[in-house]
Amino acid sequence: MSEREALRLDFLKTAGLADAARAPLPGDASTRRYERLTLPTGATLMLMDQAPAAESPPADPSWTPAQRRAAGWNATARLSAGRIDAFAAVAAHLRAVGLSAPEVVALDVANGLAVLEDLGDDLFARVIAQGEAEAPLYMAAVEALAELHAAPTPGTLTGPGGDWPLQTYDATALKGGADLFVDWLPKLRPDFDVSQEARAEWDAVWEPVVDAAERDASVMAHRDYHAENLIWLPGRAGAARAGMIDFQDAVRAHASWDLHSLLQDARRDVSPALEAAALDRYFALRPDVDRAAFMQSYAALAALNEARILGVFARLITRDGKPRYAQFMPRMWAHLERNLETPGLEPISDWFRRFVPAGVRS
């Protein structure tokens, strides 16, 4: 028996769950793993296992950008490093504002273990593929964002594992994400060479976007809000029908962030008509928002996120040996090209036109 398994067994025994049947769930791109626990009564719970030492540390709020970059990627990008206390604190906030996040049943912060409420297997992407009408699901997801954005956004979140800072998705984090494109795509596509001139101009064209996004960061962003991180809960009411998971990397960000993550998904097509209807629903629920200014940021930050994701996929393929992510790249290129047609983004669009060969952009 491994040392990690012994920790899991001790944790479950302490939580009164030693007699639960355990079934591992498929993994994802992270270092986190899950098991479904079935109790003798037939009730189910989830075991979340995130070894604390498996990743570089998260950012201390007092660190400078240079200190964050020296500490590693999690600190640079203001990721939580999978910390269980981060998950518990974000879950507590989401539940406090009336949204559906798993209840934390038992917690061992030091060893990175938690037992959670089981929200089930009905991921949006899965039930839509099985024939569920997609519009009601997306509208519920948008309603959840509108409620989250209308709620006060605290600087510190408090959960059963203690306090967790809700840090700003700032220029350092945003630009670090965008830079994955120029750092990793050339490793996947040798026909794409980033010259010193291209790199200098890359920094310049994104500067106004990331500065504005930091300045206008005002709401909690789930940060990975899409159809494979949302669970359909039709037995609940309104926005609570959108069950949320994998939100431990939440930050204070521009309100458009989760919307474009949802509506310009890397893994599934969302029609332009559904995207437009969902945005209309959001603005109807938040009538005080300046729609024109919001949509300018929506397009700019969606483009940045799509460049970031293309870099992430290139890294997963080349460094981590996960070629399956190549299938998602044409969709992200299509989203990116469409966003770059937005008036005001001409400098970024021109950069891609001049420095990225047409054959790479697919």
Side-chain angles (χ1 to χ4, degrees):
M1 180 188 303
S2 70
E3 181 180 348
R4 190 71 191 164
E5 175 64 7
L7 285 172
R8 287 191 286 264
L9 290 173
D10 286 346
F11 173 62
L12 291 173
K13 181 178 179 180
T14 301
L17 297 169
D19 55 355
R22 298 165 57 192
L25 272 64
D28 59 12
S30 74
T31 56
R32 188 171 53 254
R33 65 189 297 272
Y34 291 95
E35 296 179 8
R36 175 163 280 119
L37 307 175
T38 302
L39 282 59
T41 62
T44 61
L45 295 166
M46 298 296 295
L47 172 66
M48 176 192 284
D49 179 356
Q50 173 77 63
E55 300 189 23
S56 62
D60 185 290
S62 68
W63 286 351
T64 65
Q67 288 173 310
R68 285 160 58 190
R69 286 188 285 266
W73 178 245
N74 285 323
T76 300
R78 284 191 164 153
L79 296 167
S80 70
R83 289 273 295 269
I84 292 285
D85 44 342
F87 181 96
V90 177
H93 179 72
L94 293 170
R95 291 171 61 83
V97 300
L99 302 177
S100 291
E103 179 184 0
V104 177
V105 176
L107 190 64
D108 179 350
V109 171
N111 289 310
L113 295 164
V115 173
L116 310 173
E117 174 188 7
D118 184 4
L119 296 183
D121 292 323
D122 287 340
L123 297 173
F124 276 28
R126 182 174 297 159
V127 298
I128 291 169
Q130 293 169 349
E132 189 79 31
E134 62 181 351
L137 281 70
Y138 276 84
M139 295 306 164
V142 167
E143 289 164 15
L145 289 181
E147 290 198 13
L148 180 61
H149 296 171
T153 304
T156 300
L157 308 174
T158 300
D163 291 345
W164 184 261
L166 186 68
Q167 299 190 69
T168 297
Y169 204 4
D170 66 357
T172 299
L174 287 161
K175 183 58 166 45
D179 286 349
L180 294 175
F181 180 89
V182 289
D183 291 341
W184 286 95
L185 204 67
K187 294 179 171 60
L188 178 65
R189 297 295 302 265
D191 48 336
F192 172 41
D193 178 52
V194 181
S195 65
Q196 288 185 344
E197 176 193 5
R199 185 59 186 252
E201 291 194 31
W202 174 263
D203 293 342
V205 298
W206 286 113
E207 184 175 4
V209 173
V210 299
D211 287 349
E214 178 176 346
R215 182 182 64 248
D216 296 334
S218 59
V219 303
M220 175 190 279
H222 176 296
R223 197 167 169 170
D224 202 16
Y225 199 73
H226 58 76
E228 293 188 6
N229 277 342
L230 294 167
I231 297 175
W232 184 229
L233 302 171
R236 302 188 184 186
R241 293 174 298 165
M244 301 184 195
I245 57 174
D246 285 2
F247 41 67
Q248 57 280 339
D249 293 322
V251 286
R252 180 186 295 268
H254 190 279
S256 68
W257 191 268
D258 284 341
L259 278 166
H260 66 66
S261 295
L262 175 71
L263 301 174
Q264 298 188 12
D265 198 332
R267 293 169 175 81
R268 70 178 308 273
D269 291 325
V270 177
S271 71
L274 180 55
E275 180 181 11
L279 289 166
D280 285 344
R281 180 61 178 155
Y282 179 80
F283 291 116
L285 292 168
R286 301 199 72 215
D288 293 337
V289 172
D290 181 333
R291 181 166 184 160
F294 186 101
M295 289 306 299
Q296 182 69 27
S297 295
Y298 177 94
L301 289 174
L304 183 148
N305 193 39
E306 285 139 13
R308 179 189 71 85
I309 291 172
L310 286 165
V312 169
F313 288 164
R315 183 175 64 184
L316 286 165
I317 296 164
T318 58
R319 186 192 71 183
D320 302 334
K322 297 181 177 181
R324 70 186 184 89
Y325 287 94
Q327 67 184 302
F328 305 128
M329 296 181 79
R331 183 179 291 112
M332 297 314 289
W333 275 114
H335 289 320
L336 175 59
E337 298 278 9
R338 179 162 64 94
N339 284 308
L340 291 180
E341 295 174 359
T342 303
L345 299 186
E346 290 87 357
I348 303 171
S349 178
D350 184 60
W351 187 94
F352 278 88
R353 180 185 59 79
R354 289 190 296 124
F355 294 117
V356 185
V360 174
R361 302 195 301 267
S362 61

